[in-house]
Amino acid sequence: MIVFEVLLVLTSLLLILLVLLHKGRGGGLSDMFGGGMSSGLGGSSVAERNLDRITIGAGVLWFVCVVGLGLLLRAGS
């Protein structure tokens, strides 16, 4: 159970970091305050696609940890 808890904390921090690394798509709070000045050239680079894949993988791992902890806690009760 400790392994799931540590893995959950690590994947949570990793997800926060990965989401913050993504490039803004516009239309959010950053546009309201003038942050949307960058030109949208369209398309995504290889680095962005890899970042998307890593983020999805980390999200799946986080979800598995949450479900695993829930099952362990339910079985322990």
Side-chain angles (χ1 to χ4, degrees):
M1 191 157 127
I2 298 293
V3 173
F4 275 114
E5 291 174 351
V6 169
L7 197 56
L8 183 66
V9 169
L10 291 177
T11 55
S12 297
L13 294 174
L14 180 64
L15 273 174
I16 291 170
L17 176 71
L18 289 172
V19 167
L20 289 175
L21 284 175
H22 277 86
K23 186 167 54 167
R25 301 283 189 239
L29 285 176
S30 63
D31 280 346
M32 287 175 44
F33 298 110
M37 297 294 193
S38 65
S39 65
L41 296 176
S44 59
S45 67
V46 174
E48 288 177 38
R49 280 185 267 145
N50 287 336
L51 183 61
D52 289 341
R53 291 180 186 138
I54 294 170
T55 304
I56 290 170
V60 168
L61 183 60
W62 181 84
F63 182 74
V64 168
C65 288
V66 169
V67 169
L69 269 174
L71 292 174
L72 284 174
L73 288 174
R74 186 174 182 187
S77 297

Coordinates of all heavy atoms in Angstrom, one line a residue:
M1 N 0.8 -1.2 0.0 CA 0.0 0.0 0.0 C 0.9 1.3 0.0 O 0.5 2.2 -0.6 CB -0.9 0.0 1.2 CG -2.0 1.0 1.1 SD -3.4 0.6 2.1 CE -3.5 2.1 3.1
I2 N 2.0 1.2 0.7 CA 2.9 2.3 0.7 C 3.4 2.6 -0.7 O 3.6 3.8 -1.1 CB 4.1 2.0 1.7 CG1 3.6 1.8 3.1 CG2 5.1 3.1 1.6 CD1 3.0 3.1 3.7
V3 N 3.7 1.6 -1.5 CA 4.2 1.8 -2.8 C 3.2 2.5 -3.7 O 3.5 3.5 -4.4 CB 4.5 0.4 -3.5 CG1 4.8 0.5 -4.9 CG2 5.5 -0.3 -2.7
F4 N 1.9 2.2 -3.5 CA 0.8 2.9 -4.3 C 0.8 4.4 -3.8 O 0.6 5.3 -4.7 CB -0.5 2.3 -4.1 CG -0.8 1.1 -5.0 CD1 -0.9 -0.1 -4.6 CD2 -0.9 1.4 -6.4 CE1 -1.2 -1.2 -5.4 CE2 -1.2 0.3 -7.3 CZ -1.3 -0.9 -6.8
E5 N 0.9 4.6 -2.5 CA 0.8 6.0 -2.1 C 2.0 6.9 -2.6 O 1.8 8.0 -3.0 CB 0.8 6.0 -0.5 CG -0.5 5.5 0.0 CD -0.4 5.3 1.6 OE1 0.6 5.5 2.2 OE2 -1.5 5.1 2.1
V6 N 3.2 6.3 -2.5 CA 4.4 7.0 -3.0 C 4.3 7.2 -4.5 O 4.6 8.3 -5.0 CB 5.7 6.2 -2.7 CG1 6.9 6.8 -3.4 CG2 5.9 6.2 -1.2
L7 N 3.8 6.2 -5.3 CA 3.7 6.3 -6.7 C 2.6 7.3 -7.1 O 2.7 8.1 -8.0 CB 3.3 4.9 -7.3 CG 3.5 4.8 -8.8 CD1 4.9 5.1 -9.2 CD2 3.1 3.4 -9.2
L8 N 1.5 7.4 -6.2 CA 0.5 8.4 -6.5 C 1.0 9.8 -6.3 O 0.7 10.7 -7.1 CB -0.7 8.2 -5.5 CG -1.9 9.1 -5.7 CD1 -2.5 8.9 -7.0 CD2 -2.9 8.9 -4.6
V9 N 1.8 10.1 -5.3 CA 2.4 11.4 -5.0 C 3.3 11.8 -6.2 O 3.3 12.9 -6.7 CB 3.1 11.4 -3.7 CG1 3.9 12.7 -3.5 CG2 2.1 11.3 -2.6
L10 N 4.2 10.8 -6.6 CA 5.1 11.1 -7.7 C 4.4 11.4 -9.0 O 4.8 12.3 -9.7 CB 6.1 9.9 -7.8 CG 7.1 9.8 -6.7 CD1 8.0 8.5 -6.9 CD2 8.0 11.0 -6.5
T11 N 3.4 10.6 -9.3 CA 2.7 10.8 -10.6 C 1.9 12.1 -10.5 O 1.7 12.7 -11.6 CB 1.8 9.6 -10.9 OG1 0.9 9.3 -9.9 CG2 2.6 8.4 -11.3
S12 N 1.4 12.4 -9.4 CA 0.7 13.7 -9.2 C 1.6 14.9 -9.5 O 1.2 15.8 -10.3 CB 0.1 13.9 -7.8 OG -0.9 12.9 -7.6
L13 N 2.8 14.9 -8.9 CA 3.8 15.9 -9.2 C 4.2 16.0 -10.7 O 4.3 17.0 -11.3 CB 5.0 15.8 -8.3 CG 4.7 16.0 -6.8 CD1 5.9 15.6 -6.0 CD2 4.2 17.4 -6.5
L14 N 4.4 14.8 -11.2 CA 4.8 14.7 -12.6 C 3.7 15.2 -13.5 O 4.0 16.0 -14.5 CB 5.1 13.2 -13.0 CG 5.5 13.0 -14.4 CD1 6.8 13.6 -14.7 CD2 5.6 11.5 -14.7
L15 N 2.4 14.9 -13.2 CA 1.3 15.4 -14.0 C 1.3 17.0 -14.0 O 1.0 17.6 -15.0 CB 0.0 14.8 -13.6 CG -0.4 13.5 -14.2 CD1 -1.6 13.0 -13.6 CD2 -0.6 13.7 -15.7
I16 N 1.5 17.5 -12.8 CA 1.4 19.0 -12.6 C 2.5 19.6 -13.5 O 2.3 20.5 -14.3 CB 1.6 19.4 -11.2 CG1 0.4 19.0 -10.4 CG2 1.9 20.9 -11.0 CD1 0.6 19.1 -8.9
L17 N 3.7 19.0 -13.5 CA 4.8 19.5 -14.3 C 4.6 19.4 -15.8 O 4.8 20.3 -16.5 CB 6.1 18.8 -13.9 CG 7.4 19.1 -14.7 CD1 7.8 20.5 -14.4 CD2 8.4 18.1 -14.5
L18 N 4.0 18.2 -16.2 CA 3.8 18.0 -17.6 C 2.7 19.0 -18.1 O 2.8 19.5 -19.2 CB 3.4 16.6 -17.8 CG 4.6 15.6 -17.7 CD1 4.0 14.1 -17.8 CD2 5.6 15.8 -18.7
V19 N 1.7 19.2 -17.4 CA 0.6 20.1 -17.8 C 1.1 21.5 -17.9 O 0.7 22.2 -18.9 CB -0.6 20.0 -16.9 CG1 -1.6 21.1 -17.1 CG2 -1.3 18.6 -17.0
L20 N 1.9 21.9 -17.0 CA 2.5 23.2 -17.1 C 3.5 23.4 -18.3 O 3.6 24.5 -18.7 CB 3.2 23.6 -15.8 CG 2.3 23.8 -14.6 CD1 3.1 24.0 -13.3 CD2 1.4 25.0 -14.8
L21 N 4.0 22.3 -18.7 CA 5.0 22.4 -19.9 C 4.2 22.6 -21.2 O 4.8 23.0 -22.2 CB 5.8 21.2 -19.9 CG 7.0 21.1 -18.9 CD1 7.7 19.8 -19.0 CD2 8.0 22.2 -19.2
H22 N 2.9 22.2 -21.3 CA 2.2 22.3 -22.5 C 2.0 23.8 -22.9 O 1.9 24.7 -22.1 CB 0.8 21.7 -22.3 CG 0.8 20.2 -22.5 ND1 1.1 19.3 -21.5 CD2 0.6 19.4 -23.6 CE1 1.0 18.1 -21.9 NE2 0.7 18.1 -23.2
K23 N 2.0 23.9 -24.2 CA 1.8 25.3 -24.8 C 0.4 25.6 -24.7 O -0.5 24.8 -25.0 CB 2.3 25.3 -26.3 CG 2.2 26.7 -26.9 CD 3.0 26.8 -28.2 CE 2.5 25.7 -29.2 NZ 3.0 26.0 -30.6
G24 N 0.1 26.9 -24.4 CA -1.3 27.3 -24.3 C -2.0 27.3 -25.6 O -1.4 27.6 -26.7
R25 N -3.3 27.0 -25.6 CA -4.0 26.9 -26.9 C -4.8 28.2 -27.1 O -5.4 28.3 -28.2 CB -5.0 25.7 -26.8 CG -4.4 24.4 -26.6 CD -3.8 23.9 -27.9 NE -3.3 22.5 -27.8 CZ -2.1 22.1 -27.9 NH1 -1.2 23.0 -28.2 NH2 -1.8 20.8 -27.8
G26 N -4.8 29.1 -26.2 CA -5.6 30.3 -26.3 C -7.0 30.2 -25.9 O -7.5 29.1 -25.7
G27 N -7.6 31.3 -25.7 CA -9.0 31.3 -25.2 C -9.2 31.2 -23.7 O -10.3 31.2 -23.3
G28 N -8.1 31.2 -23.0 CA -8.2 31.0 -21.6 C -7.9 32.3 -20.8 O -8.0 33.4 -21.4
L29 N -7.5 32.2 -19.6 CA -7.3 33.4 -18.8 C -6.1 34.2 -19.3 O -6.0 35.4 -19.2 CB -7.0 33.0 -17.4 CG -8.2 32.6 -16.5 CD1 -7.8 32.2 -15.2 CD2 -9.2 33.8 -16.4
S30 N -5.1 33.5 -20.0 CA -3.9 34.2 -20.5 C -4.3 35.2 -21.6 O -3.7 36.2 -21.7 CB -2.9 33.2 -21.0 OG -3.4 32.5 -22.1
D31 N -5.3 34.8 -22.4 CA -5.8 35.8 -23.4 C -6.4 37.0 -22.9 O -6.3 38.1 -23.4 CB -6.7 35.1 -24.4 CG -6.0 34.2 -25.4 OD1 -4.8 34.4 -25.5 OD2 -6.7 33.4 -26.1
M32 N -7.1 36.9 -21.8 CA -7.8 38.0 -21.2 C -6.8 39.1 -20.7 O -7.1 40.2 -20.7 CB -8.6 37.6 -20.0 CG -9.9 36.8 -20.4 SD -10.8 36.1 -19.0 CE -10.8 37.5 -17.8
F33 N -5.6 38.6 -20.3 CA -4.6 39.6 -19.8 C -3.5 39.8 -20.7 O -2.4 40.2 -20.4 CB -4.1 39.0 -18.4 CG -5.1 38.9 -17.4 CD1 -5.5 37.6 -17.0 CD2 -5.7 40.0 -16.8 CE1 -6.5 37.5 -16.0 CE2 -6.7 39.9 -15.9 CZ -7.1 38.6 -15.5
G34 N -3.7 39.5 -22.0 CA -2.7 39.9 -23.0 C -1.6 38.8 -23.3 O -0.7 39.0 -23.9
G35 N -1.8 37.6 -22.7 CA -0.8 36.6 -22.9 C -1.0 35.8 -24.2 O -0.2 35.0 -24.6
G36 N -2.0 36.1 -25.0 CA -2.2 35.4 -26.2 C -1.7 36.1 -27.4 O -2.2 36.0 -28.5
M37 N -0.5 36.7 -27.3 CA 0.1 37.4 -28.4 C 0.9 36.5 -29.3 O 1.3 36.9 -30.4 CB 1.1 38.5 -27.8 CG 0.4 39.5 -27.0 SD -0.7 40.5 -28.0 CE -1.0 41.8 -27.0
S38 N 1.1 35.3 -28.9 CA 1.9 34.4 -29.8 C 1.2 34.0 -31.0 O -0.1 33.9 -31.0 CB 2.3 33.1 -29.0 OG 1.2 32.4 -28.7
S39 N 1.9 33.8 -32.1 CA 1.2 33.4 -33.4 C 0.9 32.0 -33.4 O 1.8 31.1 -33.0 CB 2.1 33.8 -34.5 OG 3.3 33.0 -34.5
G40 N -0.2 31.6 -33.8 CA -0.6 30.2 -33.9 C -0.2 29.7 -35.3 O -0.9 30.0 -36.3
L41 N 0.8 29.0 -35.4 CA 1.3 28.5 -36.7 C 0.6 27.2 -37.1 O 0.8 26.7 -38.2 CB 2.8 28.3 -36.6 CG 3.7 29.5 -36.4 CD1 5.1 29.2 -36.2 CD2 3.5 30.5 -37.5
G42 N -0.2 26.6 -36.2 CA -0.9 25.4 -36.6 C 0.1 24.2 -36.5 O 1.3 24.4 -36.5
G43 N -0.5 23.0 -36.5 CA 0.3 21.8 -36.4 C 1.0 21.7 -35.1 O 1.2 22.7 -34.4
S44 N 1.5 20.5 -34.8 CA 2.2 20.4 -33.6 C 3.5 19.7 -33.9 O 3.6 18.8 -34.7 CB 1.4 19.5 -32.5 OG 1.1 18.3 -33.1
S45 N 4.5 20.1 -33.2 CA 5.9 19.5 -33.4 C 6.0 18.2 -32.8 O 5.1 17.7 -32.1 CB 6.9 20.5 -32.8 OG 6.8 20.5 -31.4
V46 N 7.1 17.5 -33.1 CA 7.3 16.2 -32.5 C 7.4 16.2 -31.0 O 6.9 15.4 -30.3 CB 8.6 15.6 -33.2 CG1 9.0 14.3 -32.5 CG2 8.4 15.4 -34.7
A47 N 8.1 17.3 -30.5 CA 8.2 17.4 -29.1 C 6.9 17.6 -28.4 O 6.7 17.0 -27.3 CB 9.1 18.6 -28.8
E48 N 6.0 18.3 -29.0 CA 4.6 18.5 -28.4 C 3.9 17.2 -28.4 O 3.2 16.9 -27.4 CB 3.9 19.6 -29.2 CG 4.4 21.0 -28.9 CD 3.6 22.0 -29.8 OE1 2.4 21.8 -29.9 OE2 4.2 22.9 -30.2
R49 N 4.0 16.5 -29.5 CA 3.3 15.2 -29.6 C 3.8 14.2 -28.6 O 3.1 13.5 -27.9 CB 3.4 14.6 -31.0 CG 2.3 15.2 -31.9 CD 2.4 14.6 -33.3 NE 3.3 15.4 -34.1 CZ 4.1 14.9 -35.0 NH1 4.1 13.6 -35.3 NH2 4.9 15.7 -35.7
N50 N 5.2 14.2 -28.4 CA 5.8 13.3 -27.4 C 5.4 13.8 -26.0 O 5.1 12.9 -25.1 CB 7.3 13.3 -27.5 CG 7.8 12.6 -28.7 OD1 7.0 11.7 -29.2 ND2 8.9 12.9 -29.2
L51 N 5.3 15.1 -25.7 CA 4.8 15.6 -24.5 C 3.4 15.1 -24.2 O 3.0 14.8 -23.1 CB 5.0 17.1 -24.4 CG 4.6 17.8 -23.1 CD1 5.5 17.3 -22.0 CD2 4.7 19.3 -23.2
D52 N 2.6 15.2 -25.2 CA 1.2 14.7 -25.1 C 1.1 13.2 -24.7 O 0.4 12.8 -23.8 CB 0.4 14.9 -26.4 CG 0.1 16.4 -26.7 OD1 0.2 17.2 -25.7 OD2 -0.2 16.7 -27.8
R53 N 1.9 12.4 -25.4 CA 2.0 11.0 -25.1 C 2.5 10.7 -23.7 O 1.9 9.8 -23.0 CB 2.9 10.3 -26.1 CG 2.3 10.2 -27.5 CD 3.2 9.5 -28.4 NE 2.7 9.7 -29.8 CZ 3.4 9.9 -30.8 NH1 4.8 10.1 -30.7 NH2 2.9 10.0 -32.0
I54 N 3.5 11.4 -23.2 CA 4.0 11.2 -21.9 C 3.0 11.6 -20.8 O 2.8 11.0 -19.8 CB 5.3 12.0 -21.7 CG1 6.4 11.4 -22.6 CG2 5.8 12.0 -20.2 CD1 7.7 12.2 -22.7
T55 N 2.3 12.7 -21.1 CA 1.2 13.2 -20.2 C 0.1 12.2 -20.1 O -0.4 11.9 -19.0 CB 0.7 14.6 -20.7 OG1 1.8 15.5 -20.8 CG2 -0.3 15.1 -19.7
I56 N -0.3 11.6 -21.2 CA -1.4 10.6 -21.2 C -0.9 9.4 -20.4 O -1.7 8.8 -19.6 CB -1.8 10.3 -22.6 CG1 -2.6 11.5 -23.2 CG2 -2.7 9.0 -22.7 CD1 -2.8 11.4 -24.7
G57 N 0.3 9.0 -20.7 CA 0.8 7.8 -19.9 C 0.9 8.0 -18.4 O 0.5 7.2 -17.6
A58 N 1.3 9.2 -18.0 CA 1.4 9.6 -16.6 C 0.0 9.6 -16.0 O -0.3 9.2 -14.9 CB 2.1 10.9 -16.4
G59 N -1.0 10.1 -16.8 CA -2.4 10.2 -16.3 C -3.0 8.8 -16.1 O -3.7 8.5 -15.2
V60 N -2.7 7.9 -17.1 CA -3.2 6.5 -16.9 C -2.5 5.9 -15.7 O -3.2 5.2 -14.9 CB -2.8 5.7 -18.2 CG1 -3.1 4.2 -18.0 CG2 -3.7 6.2 -19.4
L61 N -1.2 6.1 -15.5 CA -0.6 5.5 -14.3 C -1.2 6.1 -13.0 O -1.4 5.4 -12.1 CB 0.9 5.8 -14.4 CG 1.8 5.2 -13.3 CD1 1.7 3.7 -13.2 CD2 3.2 5.6 -13.5
W62 N -1.4 7.4 -13.0 CA -2.1 8.0 -11.9 C -3.4 7.4 -11.6 O -3.8 7.1 -10.4 CB -2.2 9.5 -12.1 CG -2.8 10.3 -11.0 CD1 -2.2 10.8 -9.9 CD2 -4.2 10.7 -10.9 NE1 -3.1 11.5 -9.1 CE2 -4.3 11.4 -9.7 CE3 -5.3 10.4 -11.6 CZ2 -5.5 11.9 -9.2 CZ3 -6.5 10.9 -11.2 CH2 -6.6 11.6 -10.0
F63 N -4.2 7.2 -12.6 CA -5.6 6.6 -12.5 C -5.5 5.2 -11.9 O -6.2 4.8 -11.1 CB -6.3 6.6 -13.8 CG -7.7 6.1 -13.8 CD1 -8.7 6.8 -13.2 CD2 -7.9 4.8 -14.3 CE1 -10.0 6.3 -13.1 CE2 -9.2 4.3 -14.2 CZ -10.2 5.0 -13.7
V64 N -4.5 4.4 -12.4 CA -4.3 3.0 -11.9 C -3.9 3.1 -10.4 O -4.4 2.2 -9.7 CB -3.2 2.3 -12.8 CG1 -2.8 1.0 -12.1 CG2 -3.8 2.1 -14.2
C65 N -3.1 4.0 -10.0 CA -2.8 4.1 -8.6 C -4.0 4.5 -7.8 O -4.1 3.9 -6.7 CB -1.7 5.2 -8.4 SG -0.1 4.7 -9.0
V66 N -4.8 5.4 -8.2 CA -6.0 5.8 -7.5 C -6.9 4.6 -7.3 O -7.4 4.3 -6.2 CB -6.7 7.0 -8.2 CG1 -8.1 7.2 -7.5 CG2 -5.9 8.2 -8.0
V67 N -7.2 3.8 -8.4 CA -8.1 2.7 -8.4 C -7.5 1.6 -7.5 O -8.2 1.0 -6.7 CB -8.3 2.2 -9.8 CG1 -9.0 0.8 -9.8 CG2 -9.2 3.2 -10.6
G68 N -6.2 1.4 -7.6 CA -5.5 0.4 -6.8 C -5.6 0.7 -5.3 O -5.8 -0.2 -4.5
L69 N -5.3 1.9 -5.0 CA -5.5 2.4 -3.6 C -6.9 2.2 -3.1 O -7.1 1.8 -1.9 CB -5.0 3.8 -3.4 CG -3.5 4.0 -3.1 CD1 -3.2 5.5 -3.1 CD2 -3.2 3.4 -1.7
G70 N -7.9 2.5 -3.9 CA -9.2 2.4 -3.5 C -9.6 0.9 -3.2 O -10.3 0.6 -2.3
L71 N -9.1 0.0 -4.1 CA -9.4 -1.4 -3.9 C -8.7 -1.9 -2.7 O -9.3 -2.7 -1.9 CB -9.0 -2.2 -5.2 CG -9.8 -1.9 -6.4 CD1 -9.2 -2.7 -7.6 CD2 -11.2 -2.4 -6.2
L72 N -7.5 -1.5 -2.4 CA -6.8 -1.9 -1.2 C -7.4 -1.4 0.0 O -7.5 -2.2 1.0 CB -5.3 -1.5 -1.3 CG -4.4 -2.2 -2.2 CD1 -3.0 -1.6 -2.2 CD2 -4.2 -3.7 -1.7
L73 N -7.9 -0.2 0.0 CA -8.5 0.4 1.2 C -9.9 -0.3 1.4 O -10.3 -0.5 2.6 CB -8.7 1.9 1.1 CG -7.4 2.7 1.2 CD1 -7.7 4.1 0.9 CD2 -6.9 2.5 2.6
R74 N -10.6 -0.6 0.4 CA -11.9 -1.3 0.5 C -11.7 -2.7 1.0 O -12.5 -3.2 1.8 CB -12.6 -1.3 -0.8 CG -14.0 -1.9 -0.8 CD -14.7 -1.7 -2.1 NE -16.0 -2.2 -2.0 CZ -16.9 -2.3 -3.0 NH1 -16.5 -2.0 -4.2 NH2 -18.1 -2.8 -2.8
A75 N -10.7 -3.4 0.5 CA -10.4 -4.8 1.0 C -9.9 -4.8 2.4 O -10.2 -5.8 3.1 CB -9.4 -5.5 0.1
G76 N -9.3 -3.8 2.9 CA -8.7 -3.7 4.2 C -9.8 -3.4 5.3 O -9.6 -3.7 6.4
S77 N -10.9 -2.9 4.8 CA -12.0 -2.5 5.8 C -12.8 -3.7 6.2 O -13.1 -4.6 5.5 CB -12.9 -1.4 5.2 OG -12.2 -0.3 4.9

